[in-house]
Amino acid sequence: MVMAKNILSTVTATENLYSAWKEVKKKKGSPGVDGVSIALFGSRLDYNLTTLQRCLQNGDYSPLPLLKFHVAKENGGKRPICIPAVVDRVAQRAFLRIIDPMIDPRLSDCSFAYRKCRSVKAAIQRILFYREQGYPYVVHTDIDAYFEHIDHDFLLEKLSSLIDCNEAIELVKRWLKVDFYEGGRLVKNPHKGLPQGAVISPLLANVYLDEFDKAFEQTDFKLVRFGDDFLILCKDKASTKLAFDMALEMIKRLRLKLSCSKTAIVHFGDGFKFLGATLANRNIESDTKSSPVDVPQGKSHKSPILLKTLYLQEQGCILAKNDQRFVIKKKKDVLAEIPAIKVDQIIVLGNSSITTSAMKFALIKRIPIILLSKKGCYCGKIERGDSGNVELHQIQFNLLRNHDFCLRVSKEIVKAKVHNQKVLLQRHSKKIGNINQILDLMRNLLKKVETSNNVDQLRGLEGIASSHYFRGFKYLLKSSFGFENRIKRPPVDPVNSLLSFGYTLLFQNVYAFITVHGLNPYIGYFHALRNKHPSLASDLIEEFRTPIIDSLVLYLVNSQILKERDFYYVGKDRRCLLIDSAQKTFIRHFEHKMNSEVTHYHTGILCSYRKCIDLQVQEMLKVIKGEQSVYRPLTMRY
């Protein structure tokens, strides 16, 4: 074990402090409570590092309070973030550079987070290895608010067993006990918890759980831990109870709690999610969600298939439940079995039914059930009603009274829709001369949109632009199937039928992402509010109609994938509908389109159209919360 004097002298060595500064500078970051930015600290670098060195060596070093704020989590909660001052980041980085190589080799092999040469991929590979070794049953859980509940005295005791250096322990103690500023006032340290955002916190988090990790090394269970999220793999189902009880007892001993809502006993045959991946018997599917604001421009972002949809299309079939799976049956035949972990929403088309147990199971798993008629018309939705964010909804309602806000958002929505329509026509303008006049009309309408001073006028301009657009759209069709212009209710020709059905499917995807992010889908700013109408979903669908559905319909018709024989007419109004096989073909191509990759204009992310919808809902959320002033819709490029 390294002696105390050697540790502290190595930490405060001039070369080590300069190397620590370079790492802090590379990671960038915001100023701390003192307002000193990285650039400002660097402008007097020699003086600042010499002063820090002297304070550390003399024992006079005292860290500044942390700057604390909260960021939204995907599950609707908030994560506390604490920003140390730049000088304290340098001190912690210098300490970590020396201490981490001493401690890390002594930590358990089952821990994969915050460690060099370890990663999510390595954790997943270890899990798959254990699966092949005959560990098919899994206890999946995580620790409730782990970083906030770490006991300081317990942690320092554990750290002392690894480092024989009182000065180093005292330094860590000062970082742990520091107060913080939140909302403009100084808040006393609660004497527990690790500040998320501090350089030293990840290593200390692993140190705290090392006793837990090593306890499982002495058993026949297999533990894979990534931070506060972990799996315990077992050879049989009976062992999972013993493994869970052991984990529960160990976590209590560490003065922590397991998250009951996130605890499950699963089997690889059912599939389950861990670290952004879906693990099953034969495959692994990436499902990692990345923040749109932190991805560098121009980087490829292999997005997951968000909102995996189970379509119930076979007429007369029944959706039932068996253990953790959905089962589709027709008479005595089982048509399909789908692990619930692979389903994010269910769309029922026509005359199919759902058992009570399957419906309850879907509600428990927060899987909405959307009911469409055989004609593709929306009938209703079955979903839990406890996912609303009342404070956010109040902000949405209050903004309805803000004329400038409604006008500003509505302008961007209409401009994007008309722009996208114009781009689709313009791509074909050289081949079809009739379109140029329509393009001129749409350019003039865009100028009027820019100068419009009320939302009602914008709605009128949007309607006129759509009329011009669909007059041009018919010239893009190699076989018009009688299409002259957009007719919604009822669709009287195959093209209108495809457009209506496609818009319905797209609408449900937009609606789902709105609810995922806690917004009220019925409070929009461009479409007028009326009973039973999700106006925000209607607002956000506009920019996606042309790039997703209109272009898909053009492809299906012009490629003769769908032909006139794939449609039939019913009723006195001669409503045009898709036959069952053609409806399945359309859904298959719709899903392929939704999962095809494009570059999201504002972030530079290469992702699926489905992910683009998610990003645009988040964009609207920022505007509603006042985090940015202008809504930036998705626009097509020429």
Side-chain angles (χ1 to χ4, degrees), residues 337-348:
E337 291 189 33
I338 306 97
I341 197 74
K342 293 189 175 184
V343 180
D344 290 313
Q345 64 176 352
I346 299 169
I347 293 182
V348 182

PDB file of all heavy atoms in Angstrom, residues 337-348:
ATOM      1  N   GLU A 337     -46.483 -15.365 -31.101  1.00  0.00           N
ATOM      2  CA  GLU A 337     -46.222 -15.076 -29.693  1.00  0.00           C
ATOM      3  C   GLU A 337     -45.146 -14.001 -29.638  1.00  0.00           C
ATOM      4  O   GLU A 337     -44.096 -14.143 -30.253  1.00  0.00           O
ATOM      5  CB  GLU A 337     -45.754 -16.332 -28.948  1.00  0.00           C
ATOM      6  CG  GLU A 337     -46.843 -17.381 -28.779  1.00  0.00           C
ATOM      7  CD  GLU A 337     -46.418 -18.502 -27.847  1.00  0.00           C
ATOM      8  OE1 GLU A 337     -45.652 -18.202 -26.902  1.00  0.00           O
ATOM      9  OE2 GLU A 337     -46.839 -19.651 -28.058  1.00  0.00           O
ATOM     10  N   ILE A 338     -45.449 -12.919 -28.925  1.00  0.00           N
ATOM     11  CA  ILE A 338     -44.536 -11.778 -28.884  1.00  0.00           C
ATOM     12  C   ILE A 338     -44.235 -11.410 -27.442  1.00  0.00           C
ATOM     13  O   ILE A 338     -45.165 -11.126 -26.674  1.00  0.00           O
ATOM     14  CB  ILE A 338     -45.149 -10.544 -29.604  1.00  0.00           C
ATOM     15  CG1 ILE A 338     -45.585 -10.906 -31.021  1.00  0.00           C
ATOM     16  CG2 ILE A 338     -44.155  -9.392 -29.639  1.00  0.00           C
ATOM     17  CD1 ILE A 338     -47.051 -11.234 -31.143  1.00  0.00           C
ATOM     18  N   PRO A 339     -42.967 -11.412 -27.017  1.00  0.00           N
ATOM     19  CA  PRO A 339     -42.630 -10.960 -25.665  1.00  0.00           C
ATOM     20  C   PRO A 339     -43.106  -9.532 -25.444  1.00  0.00           C
ATOM     21  O   PRO A 339     -42.920  -8.664 -26.307  1.00  0.00           O
ATOM     22  CB  PRO A 339     -41.103 -11.053 -25.632  1.00  0.00           C
ATOM     23  CG  PRO A 339     -40.758 -12.051 -26.688  1.00  0.00           C
ATOM     24  CD  PRO A 339     -41.776 -11.868 -27.762  1.00  0.00           C
ATOM     25  N   ALA A 340     -43.709  -9.275 -24.307  1.00  0.00           N
ATOM     26  CA  ALA A 340     -44.232  -7.935 -24.017  1.00  0.00           C
ATOM     27  C   ALA A 340     -43.136  -6.885 -24.039  1.00  0.00           C
ATOM     28  O   ALA A 340     -43.391  -5.720 -24.359  1.00  0.00           O
ATOM     29  CB  ALA A 340     -44.935  -7.929 -22.664  1.00  0.00           C
ATOM     30  N   ILE A 341     -41.917  -7.300 -23.740  1.00  0.00           N
ATOM     31  CA  ILE A 341     -40.801  -6.362 -23.715  1.00  0.00           C
ATOM     32  C   ILE A 341     -40.549  -5.758 -25.094  1.00  0.00           C
ATOM     33  O   ILE A 341     -39.944  -4.697 -25.230  1.00  0.00           O
ATOM     34  CB  ILE A 341     -39.528  -7.075 -23.211  1.00  0.00           C
ATOM     35  CG1 ILE A 341     -38.468  -6.062 -22.788  1.00  0.00           C
ATOM     36  CG2 ILE A 341     -38.974  -8.038 -24.238  1.00  0.00           C
ATOM     37  CD1 ILE A 341     -38.763  -5.394 -21.498  1.00  0.00           C
ATOM     38  N   LYS A 342     -41.044  -6.425 -26.148  1.00  0.00           N
ATOM     39  CA  LYS A 342     -40.828  -5.953 -27.511  1.00  0.00           C
ATOM     40  C   LYS A 342     -42.002  -5.140 -28.047  1.00  0.00           C
ATOM     41  O   LYS A 342     -42.043  -4.817 -29.226  1.00  0.00           O
ATOM     42  CB  LYS A 342     -40.563  -7.139 -28.442  1.00  0.00           C
ATOM     43  CG  LYS A 342     -39.260  -7.859 -28.166  1.00  0.00           C
ATOM     44  CD  LYS A 342     -38.938  -8.866 -29.246  1.00  0.00           C
ATOM     45  CE  LYS A 342     -37.570  -9.491 -29.031  1.00  0.00           C
ATOM     46  NZ  LYS A 342     -37.195 -10.405 -30.123  1.00  0.00           N
ATOM     47  N   VAL A 343     -42.975  -4.818 -27.200  1.00  0.00           N
ATOM     48  CA  VAL A 343     -44.174  -4.106 -27.649  1.00  0.00           C
ATOM     49  C   VAL A 343     -44.303  -2.795 -26.886  1.00  0.00           C
ATOM     50  O   VAL A 343     -44.253  -2.779 -25.663  1.00  0.00           O
ATOM     51  CB  VAL A 343     -45.443  -4.963 -27.435  1.00  0.00           C
ATOM     52  CG1 VAL A 343     -46.690  -4.204 -27.904  1.00  0.00           C
ATOM     53  CG2 VAL A 343     -45.320  -6.291 -28.162  1.00  0.00           C
ATOM     54  N   ASP A 344     -44.454  -1.696 -27.618  1.00  0.00           N
ATOM     55  CA  ASP A 344     -44.659  -0.391 -26.997  1.00  0.00           C
ATOM     56  C   ASP A 344     -46.056   0.162 -27.250  1.00  0.00           C
ATOM     57  O   ASP A 344     -46.498   1.063 -26.546  1.00  0.00           O
ATOM     58  CB  ASP A 344     -43.621   0.612 -27.500  1.00  0.00           C
ATOM     59  CG  ASP A 344     -42.230   0.295 -26.973  1.00  0.00           C
ATOM     60  OD1 ASP A 344     -42.107   0.054 -25.758  1.00  0.00           O
ATOM     61  OD2 ASP A 344     -41.283   0.258 -27.763  1.00  0.00           O
ATOM     62  N   GLN A 345     -46.729  -0.320 -28.273  1.00  0.00           N
ATOM     63  CA  GLN A 345     -48.123   0.037 -28.486  1.00  0.00           C
ATOM     64  C   GLN A 345     -48.780  -1.035 -29.349  1.00  0.00           C
ATOM     65  O   GLN A 345     -48.112  -1.752 -30.088  1.00  0.00           O
ATOM     66  CB  GLN A 345     -48.273   1.422 -29.120  1.00  0.00           C
ATOM     67  CG  GLN A 345     -47.695   1.572 -30.511  1.00  0.00           C
ATOM     68  CD  GLN A 345     -47.972   2.949 -31.096  1.00  0.00           C
ATOM     69  OE1 GLN A 345     -48.709   3.753 -30.534  1.00  0.00           O
ATOM     70  NE2 GLN A 345     -47.391   3.235 -32.246  1.00  0.00           N
ATOM     71  N   ILE A 346     -50.096  -1.164 -29.201  1.00  0.00           N
ATOM     72  CA  ILE A 346     -50.863  -2.162 -29.941  1.00  0.00           C
ATOM     73  C   ILE A 346     -51.907  -1.435 -30.777  1.00  0.00           C
ATOM     74  O   ILE A 346     -52.638  -0.582 -30.257  1.00  0.00           O
ATOM     75  CB  ILE A 346     -51.563  -3.143 -28.977  1.00  0.00           C
ATOM     76  CG1 ILE A 346     -50.523  -3.892 -28.127  1.00  0.00           C
ATOM     77  CG2 ILE A 346     -52.428  -4.142 -29.742  1.00  0.00           C
ATOM     78  CD1 ILE A 346     -51.124  -4.675 -26.967  1.00  0.00           C
ATOM     79  N   ILE A 347     -51.952  -1.747 -32.060  1.00  0.00           N
ATOM     80  CA  ILE A 347     -52.973  -1.171 -32.939  1.00  0.00           C
ATOM     81  C   ILE A 347     -53.861  -2.307 -33.431  1.00  0.00           C
ATOM     82  O   ILE A 347     -53.379  -3.259 -34.049  1.00  0.00           O
ATOM     83  CB  ILE A 347     -52.346  -0.419 -34.119  1.00  0.00           C
ATOM     84  CG1 ILE A 347     -51.596   0.830 -33.606  1.00  0.00           C
ATOM     85  CG2 ILE A 347     -53.406  -0.013 -35.131  1.00  0.00           C
ATOM     86  CD1 ILE A 347     -50.978   1.683 -34.701  1.00  0.00           C
ATOM     87  N   VAL A 348     -55.144  -2.203 -33.121  1.00  0.00           N
ATOM     88  CA  VAL A 348     -56.125  -3.217 -33.499  1.00  0.00           C
ATOM     89  C   VAL A 348     -56.930  -2.697 -34.681  1.00  0.00           C
ATOM     90  O   VAL A 348     -57.552  -1.634 -34.592  1.00  0.00           O
ATOM     91  CB  VAL A 348     -57.065  -3.543 -32.327  1.00  0.00           C
ATOM     92  CG1 VAL A 348     -58.043  -4.646 -32.718  1.00  0.00           C
ATOM     93  CG2 VAL A 348     -56.270  -3.951 -31.096  1.00  0.00           C
TER      94      VAL A 348
END
